[in-house]
Amino acid sequence: MTAERSPFPGPRPESAAVRTEGREVSAPGDVPRDNRAPDLETEWSRAVKAIGEAAEICLACHIRPDGDALGSMLAVAQALRVRGAADRPPGSAPPRVIASFGELPLRIPRILRFLPGTDLLTPPDAVPGRPQVMMTFDAASADRLGMLEANAARAGELIVLDHHVSNTSFGTVNLIDPAAAATAVLAHELIGRLGVPVSRDIALGLYAGLVTDTGSFRYSNTSPGVHLLAARLLETGIDPGGVAHELWDRAPFGFLGLLSAVLGRAQLEPAGPGRCGLVWTTVTRADRAAHGLPFEAAESVIDVLRRTDEADVAVVLKEDDDGLWQVSARAKGAADVGRACVALGGGGHPKAAGFTAVGPAADVMAALRQQLAAP
Ligand code: AMP
Ligand code: MN
Ligand code: MN
């Protein structure tokens, strides 16, 4: 599970040996926080207390993790290991930190293998069944934890760290802030509150989350606070060009063939009365097999489709290896794909959301169209 190759050559601090001087460390406390509900303050205190007292902390991010889910979790995993080494009285054991996500085999998407700490991941069947303290990342509901949903249900304390407005507050401590551009913003705040300096390795995970969920600072969730946080993270010495290359600027040659096929059959449905313009396509298992590509190769297709001027909504139906449609939807303008996807059993944000479906693609699209047209 180690990186195939790293775009970040050169020495990296070990997880337990963060340097505290020079450019290696940023100060988490000096990034302004966005406005938020005052009762979140109580939740922060409860989270910090539970983490401080725990002998064992299990971390889980949502299945089919993206840069925000995995990056935030690995950043916190590394911070907890540093804290464990530093804060305990001499002779006492540091807390056990276990990080995972609920899929077997535990397959890290190729574009995320550059993240420091992936080698520390534990397969979900080795995660304690009743964790003393469990923390979830970027998961809007318990079912997004896959195999680890049952572990979360039995955890002594369940801390939910997330920024989805659709979050079901399934934790005993809910650190949910829909104003946060990414879970990474909340992970950064947690690390600051735990008093752990942000090393370059920690910053890389947080930065991956921030750029993933803001589309490299292009989406409307890009605030001054986002840029300030990015600046702090870059001060640790991470290479933004290297991160962008890993996340978006590389693909095997077969991807060109896949893109050609799936874009070639994209359909544009013009806006009618009470409807928004819609563009959609499918990426089937057969498409991927024809070009020898894994499921994750389908993930970036939506970024091309959503450029379509004539469409307010873009949708890609991606067939996974089990034959299920993993649907990605994006909106610009007034359409709220988050609401539509929640109604279809999924989740997400008003402008970026998804759901899982079975059956003919035309039927899935009909159901989605109906939800988009609902008052
Ligand atoms: P994606 O299209 O996979 O990039 O996901 C966009 C947003 O929708 C993210 O916030 C995801 O967490 C959410 N999302 C995607 N698929 C699902 C699903 N099957 N169930 C719940 N939320 C989803
Ligand atoms: Mn996510
Ligand atoms: Mn996110």
Side-chain angles (χ1 to χ4, degrees), residues 67-95:
D68 191 30
L70 193 61
S72 299
M73 179 174 76
L74 292 176
V76 170
Q78 292 173 95
L80 289 175
R81 288 192 166 107
V82 172
R83 188 169 195 271
D87 283 6
R88 300 271 145 170
S92 75

Side-chain angles (χ1 to χ4, degrees), residues 68 138 163-164 182-183 213 349:
D68 191 30
D138 207 38
H163 67 129
H164 289 89
T183 295
D213 275 25
H349 310 280

Side-chain angles (χ1 to χ4, degrees), residues 19 24 42 48 57 103 124 131 140 151 155 170 184 216-217 344 358 370:
R19 284 200 251 146
E24 291 283 332
T42 319
V48 168
I57 306 175
E103 282 172 39
N151 308 60
F170 60 97
S216 279
F217 313 112
L344 295 167
V358 283
Q370 194 183 4

Side-chain angles (χ1 to χ4, degrees), residues 8-319:
F8 312 105
R12 256 189 207 156
E14 293 299 320
S15 57
V18 172
R19 284 200 251 146
T20 53
E21 82 291 354
R23 281 160 41 84
E24 291 283 332
V25 164
S26 74
D30 61 357
V31 173
R33 293 171 194 153
D34 292 323
N35 289 334
R36 59 177 60 160
D39 56 351
L40 209 52
E41 200 50 50
T42 319
E43 299 295 278
W44 279 116
S45 309
R46 292 179 59 210
V48 168
K49 184 166 180 287
I51 291 167
E53 292 170 358
E56 169 193 85
I57 306 175
C58 294
L59 312 182
C61 66
H62 68 67
I63 51 170
R64 288 182 294 278
D66 51 31
D68 191 30
L70 193 61
S72 299
M73 179 174 76
L74 292 176
V76 170
Q78 292 173 95
L80 289 175
R81 288 192 166 107
V82 172
R83 188 169 195 271
D87 283 6
R88 300 271 145 170
S92 75
R96 226 177 126 218
V97 181
I98 299 138
S100 184
F101 52 91
E103 282 172 39
L104 268 180
L106 189 81
R107 194 181 169 325
I108 302 161
R110 182 194 51 76
I111 64 168
L112 299 179
R113 287 187 201 156
F114 73 94
L115 288 174
T118 52
D119 51 321
L120 304 173
L121 288 170
T122 300
D125 53 354
V127 170
R130 294 177 188 278
Q132 188 188 5
V133 173
M134 186 157 171
M135 198 182 321
T136 69
F137 295 82
D138 207 38
S141 50
D143 60 300
R144 294 281 285 157
L145 301 173
M147 280 180 63
L148 291 174
E149 183 178 358
N151 308 60
R154 291 190 295 253
E157 200 80 74
L158 181 64
I159 303 170
V160 170
L161 202 70
D162 187 35
H163 67 129
H164 289 89
V165 71
S166 62
N167 194 292
T168 58
S169 297
F170 60 97
T172 57
V173 179
N174 294 291
L175 292 169
I176 299 154
D177 184 2
T183 295
V185 175
L186 301 170
H188 179 259
E189 179 155 353
L190 177 68
I191 291 166
R193 284 174 185 259
L194 292 172
V196 178
V198 177
S199 65
R200 191 182 70 160
D201 279 6
I202 291 174
L204 249 179
L206 298 175
Y207 186 79
L210 205 56
V211 294
T212 296
D213 275 25
T214 61
S216 279
F217 313 112
R218 288 177 299 139
Y219 303 156
S220 52
N221 57 359
T222 307
S223 62
V226 162
H227 278 290
L228 283 164
L229 175 54
R232 290 281 166 266
L233 299 175
L234 290 180
E235 277 175 347
T236 66
I238 58 180
D239 167 18
V243 174
H245 176 76
E246 288 300 310
L247 288 177
W248 299 297
D249 293 346
R250 50 178 296 207
F253 181 69
F255 180 68
L256 301 185
L258 178 103
L259 206 52
S260 161
V262 307
L263 295 181
R265 65 168 172 263
Q267 310 227 15
L268 176 66
E269 300 174 7
R275 288 196 297 127
C276 51
L278 193 152
V279 63
W280 69 280
T281 193
T282 54
V283 183
T284 64
R285 274 188 290 192
D287 292 321
R288 293 193 282 107
H291 300 284
L293 294 168
F295 175 77
E296 68 194 70
E299 300 282 19
S300 63
V301 173
I302 189 73
D303 294 325
V304 186
L305 218 66
R306 63 183 283 280
R307 289 178 204 166
T308 309
D309 274 338
E310 294 86 346
D312 294 325
V313 173
V315 182
V316 178
L317 278 64
K318 304 165 291 185
E319 189 182 9

